[in-house]
Amino acid sequence: MGLQTPRGVKDFLPEEAIWKQQIEGRLRDVFMHWGYQEVVTPTFEFYDTLDLGETTTEQTYRFLGRDGELLALRSDLTTPIARMVATRLKDLEKPLRLSYLANVFRYDEVQVGFQREFFQAGVELIGSTQPAADAEGIALAVEAFKAMGVQNFCVDIGQVQYLQGIMEECGCPTIMNQVRQVLIHQDFVGLKAILAQSNIDQDIKRILLDLPQLRGKADVFDRALALTHNDRAKQAVENLQSIYAVLEGYGVTDHIHIDFGMVKSLDYYTGMILEGYTPNLGSTLCSGGRYDNLSSKFGQPLPAVGFALGLERLMLVLERQGLRPADQGETYLVLPRHWPNALAHAQTLRQQGHRVEVDVQGLGVDEAVVYAKAKGISFVILVEDTDEKTVYRQE
Amino acid sequence: MLSIAVSKGRLLDSFAEILEKAQYPCDVLQEETRKLVVESSQAGLRFILAKPADVPTYVEYGAADLGVVGKDTLAEADKNVAELLDLDYGRCTMIVAVPQSLGITDVSELDFNSRVASKYPGIATEFFNRKGIQVEVIPLHGSIELGPLIGLSEAIVDITETGRTLVENGLVVIDSIMESTSRLVANRVSLKVKRQEITNLVNAIEGVL
């Protein structure tokens, strides 16, 4: 074994680490100002507990504890938070607003901005079925992108019950499942083949084939309603309409597209679903929706809505949009020729908000300048017993 | 402007023909060139000339909005891309073949000592797993028929159009895994961001298929 790191993990070197921290700070700020409280869940838990959330897959990292118990690294925060809410927070007044910034683990093929360990920021609003709660989740996603300065982003919203309503009309579970699978993979060639071979109603076939067209602005609602008589599907449209009405109040509809053709691979969504993206990245930036049945698996039926965004993907987009902050502020190197004075001077500069290194190597002035140039330090200050002078200034 | 990842060769000519019929002029594809990116401003298309096996990757990462690639390659790559159209050319079949001399007529006669050479190790492995047959899949990059000839493997999984190469090498088909044709695929985000452009192109192509 060499000194490499395994596939799927990476180091954040100082420049990336500080930038990541700034991004996290800004997101934390946004979440806090919307009344969300940050929580931290364990990095690993009992496999069976995470499995209750049905988010465990072949990609879940599993391992044995010393007593032989099966453990798993978290692959998202939604399930651990649902467990936390159903147990330790069960007596708190609802709704609860919780947020997190955490690393998650998936033994997946390494993808765009998704290593096997990656960082997520997200929120969960737990204990409300109201469209206003869905709208808050969506508006907060928009707000997070805005706070980060992301350009040209969009958030698509859909409703899983629409497709489910239409599919229950066709009555055949086998075909329903096949159709769902090809829609998840957006395999429209496969969809046509399945529909051509099946004997389901012509109207339903037409809706399923037209599904990709059910995307756009508010006009989509009427088109989606006109296509079906199914009550469940109609209620889904009305639900998304109510959510959209609240979003108009938030003033964020410029960033919103409605898409009834959106299908998620996760089974646990029960209502509104959302996906955020920009033209600069070939994959989604954030993802989420309503999941009303998850916490009942932990014994406390609580409706909930939430989203998570991928931090590395966000960083990739910001970099591609030229929004990576260049300068990290002024830095000082103090050369102590008189220690008490030098340390006092360094302290003053720190209080003014600067970043200050005090030389511990006993560098001469020339050596100090070489060091400062190599590290991009802005000022070198020589502090003697009677005075201090700037012996180097970055050009 | 839409970017399309395509692979050079005979299949590209078929695609160029379809585009011409669909009123997307693309003379640039006929020119002899070593360029890897060519553009038709008239059609609003930029072509990225890639290796076939790389097309799904370019599209998944969004380096190209669209791609043209055989279903065989697409299934092997198992990438997260949207499959928009069956272009209905480049038809071939993915088959399991063995040397005639082996006297095997059904895949179930292959035992756990059998080795299967293939350019499609993913598809081959999946196929035999599904059948519950234990074999050792040997990934190769070309001239798969060579495998049984020189004793590297008992069977092969490969694509064939007419079956002639198989016959010439004394191989017989004992099963077929899938039919393949060229497909138009799209990046999932491009499908949202450039929906109108993509829909126009898809409709135009569908109209002439």
Side-chain angles (χ1 to χ4, degrees):
Chain A
M1 194 182 303
L3 299 178
Q4 300 93 344
T5 49
R7 184 168 158 78
V9 297
K10 65 177 176 190
D11 292 318
F12 285 79
L13 302 182
E15 278 181 20
E16 281 94 40
I18 194 166
W19 183 32
K20 172 168 164 287
Q21 221 167 53
Q22 286 171 354
I23 289 173
E24 288 174 333
R26 221 172 299 168
L27 289 170
R28 196 171 262 141
D29 231 38
V30 172
F31 296 159
M32 187 187 72
H33 283 107
W34 284 51
Y36 287 76
Q37 294 175 297
E38 189 169 337
V39 290
V40 178
T41 74
T43 307
F44 59 90
E45 300 203 25
F46 289 121
Y47 176 82
D48 290 345
T49 311
L50 294 183
D51 196 42
L52 279 178
E54 289 173 5
T55 47
T56 49
T57 61
E58 286 170 10
Q59 275 77 45
T60 307
Y61 275 91
R62 277 165 289 191
F63 57 102
L64 292 176
R66 285 194 148 193
D67 298 328
E69 69 278 32
L70 187 57
L71 304 172
L73 295 182
R74 62 182 174 214
S75 58
D76 72 0
L77 268 284
T78 304
T79 309
I81 288 178
R83 176 204 38 87
M84 180 193 265
V85 169
T87 53
R88 304 191 203 288
L89 302 179
K90 67 173 187 293
D91 298 327
L92 282 188
E93 200 59 37
K94 307 293 181 304
L96 279 172
R97 288 177 169 82
L98 302 175
S99 69
Y100 57 86
L101 289 147
N103 50 350
V104 297
F105 307 85
R106 291 177 199 171
Y107 198 101
D108 224 332
E109 265 318 293
V110 174
Q111 305 167 27
V112 203
F114 264 18
Q115 299 285 310
R116 286 174 177 167
E117 177 188 25
F118 60 96
F119 290 83
Q120 284 191 328
V123 298
E124 316 287 351
L125 172 45
I126 298 156
S128 172
T129 55
Q130 294 299 314
D134 298 82
E136 180 172 310
I138 299 161
L140 187 47
V142 172
E143 180 71 21
F145 286 136
K146 277 189 182 165
M148 299 314 308
V150 180
Q151 308 290 308
N152 300 322
F153 67 88
C154 285
V155 176
D156 278 15
I157 57 174
Q159 230 284 11
V160 295
Q161 303 281 344
Y162 186 72
L163 184 60
Q164 283 171 10
I166 286 163
M167 304 271 271
E168 75 186 11
E169 293 283 298
C170 85
C172 172
T174 320
I175 291 185
M176 277 164 66
N177 200 31
Q178 286 175 344
V179 167
R180 206 179 107 80
Q181 286 308 317
V182 291
L183 284 174
I184 287 172
H185 292 110
Q186 298 198 305
D187 174 4
F188 300 113
V189 176
L191 177 66
K192 266 183 215 159
I194 290 170
L195 294 181
Q197 283 164 20
S198 77
N199 50 3
I200 59 175
D201 189 84
Q202 286 302 322
D203 285 344
I204 295 171
K205 282 187 186 176
R206 217 185 41 240
I207 301 174
L208 290 173
L209 288 172
D210 279 351
L211 216 52
Q213 308 306 327
L214 279 181
R215 179 180 180 275
K217 291 295 188 180
D219 60 293
V220 175
F221 290 126
D222 289 337
R223 277 161 49 207
L225 274 178
L227 277 175
T228 178
H229 299 293
N230 180 278
D231 284 339
R232 194 166 164 192
K234 279 184 177 303
Q235 279 163 17
V237 177
E238 282 153 14
N239 170 253
L240 206 57
Q241 261 176 318
S242 318
I243 294 168
Y244 194 80
V246 183
L247 288 173
E248 282 177 329
Y250 276 108
V252 296
T253 46
D254 282 353
H255 296 284
I256 305 288
H257 282 95
I258 292 134
D259 183 359
F260 283 101
M262 202 195 317
V263 184
K264 293 273 200 191
S265 56
L266 275 178
D267 269 334
Y268 67 36
Y269 292 112
T270 55
M272 180 279 293
I273 44 177
L274 71 90
E275 259 175 17
Y277 55 89
T278 81
N280 302 79
L281 192 69
S283 48
T284 52
L285 264 177
C286 81
S287 172
R290 172 168 288 285
Y291 54 98
D292 287 348
N293 299 335
L294 179 61
S295 75
S296 62
K297 307 229 161 84
F298 297 103
Q300 285 273 319
L302 282 171
V305 56
F307 73 84
L309 64 87
L311 229 53
E312 286 93 334
R313 287 187 175 181
L314 180 61
M315 291 169 83
L316 202 56
V317 165
L318 289 173
E319 182 137 33
R320 287 184 183 173
Q321 296 187 342
L323 296 169
R324 179 171 179 164
D327 189 38
Q328 303 293 348
E330 294 185 333
T331 49
Y332 287 76
L333 174 65
V334 170
L335 297 181
R337 294 295 178 262
H338 184 277
W339 276 95
N341 286 2
L343 295 178
H345 189 68
Q347 208 54 26
T348 312
L349 287 170
R350 286 175 182 142
Q351 277 159 4
Q352 290 165 2
H354 300 299
R355 292 190 290 163
V356 185
E357 284 181 29
V358 177
D359 171 47
V360 293
Q361 298 285 71
L363 295 178
V365 171
D366 289 346
E367 290 169 312
V369 169
V370 170
Y371 173 81
K373 278 183 180 161
K375 285 191 73 178
I377 286 169
S378 329
F379 299 97
V380 178
I381 316 253
L382 184 72
V383 184
E384 297 177 306
D385 53 355
T386 48
D387 68 339
E388 67 230 14
K389 57 178 184 257
T390 304
V391 293
Y392 166 76
R393 188 187 301 266
Q394 195 179 36
E395 278 161 30
Chain B
M1 176 76 76
L2 289 172
S3 55
I4 309 186
V6 293
S7 47
K8 275 190 175 179
R10 196 159 45 88
L11 296 181
L12 182 55
D13 298 339
S14 308
F15 183 56
E17 217 172 280
I18 290 175
L19 282 180
E20 292 284 352
K21 273 196 228 157
Q23 308 293 321
Y24 281 82
C26 51
D27 302 341
V28 285
L29 289 180
Q30 319 292 353
E31 291 163 16
E32 270 304 312
T33 173
R34 283 164 176 272
K35 281 190 197 161
L36 296 173
V37 181
V38 294
E39 213 172 283
S40 164
S41 49
Q42 247 182 313
L45 298 175
R46 177 188 296 126
F47 297 93
I48 296 161
L49 302 165
K51 289 265 180 220
D54 293 335
V55 168
T57 307
Y58 282 100
V59 176
E60 185 187 42
Y61 273 73
D65 299 311
L66 300 166
V68 176
V69 61
K71 179 68 181 175
D72 52 337
T73 309
L74 195 58
E76 178 66 22
D78 193 23
K79 296 286 183 190
N80 198 355
V81 296
E83 198 175 321
L84 301 182
L85 276 181
D86 184 347
L87 296 170
D88 207 25
Y89 66 81
R91 186 172 293 280
C92 55
T93 311
M94 179 135 350
I95 50 86
V96 186
V98 294
Q100 194 151 25
S101 56
L102 223 54
I104 286 179
T105 53
D106 192 279
V107 281
S108 60
E109 295 170 54
L110 292 167
D111 64 12
F112 70 93
N113 282 323
S114 303
R115 293 156 302 173
V116 179
S118 184
K119 230 183 341 181
Y120 303 88
I123 294 174
T125 305
E126 208 268 333
F127 172 77
F128 285 105
N129 280 346
R130 202 172 37 179
K131 294 261 177 183
I133 302 166
Q134 291 191 70
V135 296
E136 183 183 336
V137 174
I138 304 173
L140 290 181
H141 286 94
S143 306
I144 308 301
E145 300 84 4
L146 206 50
L149 278 185
I150 57 168
L152 174 69
S153 72
E154 280 69 43
I156 65 167
V157 165
D158 203 5
I159 50 165
T160 176
E161 274 175 67
T162 59
R164 201 166 60 201
T165 320
L166 297 174
V167 172
E168 281 171 4
N169 287 292
L171 297 165
V172 286
V173 174
I174 55 169
D175 211 334
S176 64
I177 300 178
M178 64 188 282
E179 293 285 316
S180 171
T181 46
S182 287
R183 305 293 161 96
L184 181 71
V185 297
N187 173 270
R188 292 182 157 218
V189 169
S190 298
L191 202 51
K192 292 168 181 282
V193 179
K194 300 185 177 175
R195 168 154 306 233
Q196 201 50 55
E197 275 176 274
I198 292 175
T199 308
N200 292 345
L201 180 65
V202 167
N203 288 343
I205 291 178
E206 231 177 350
V208 299
L209 280 181

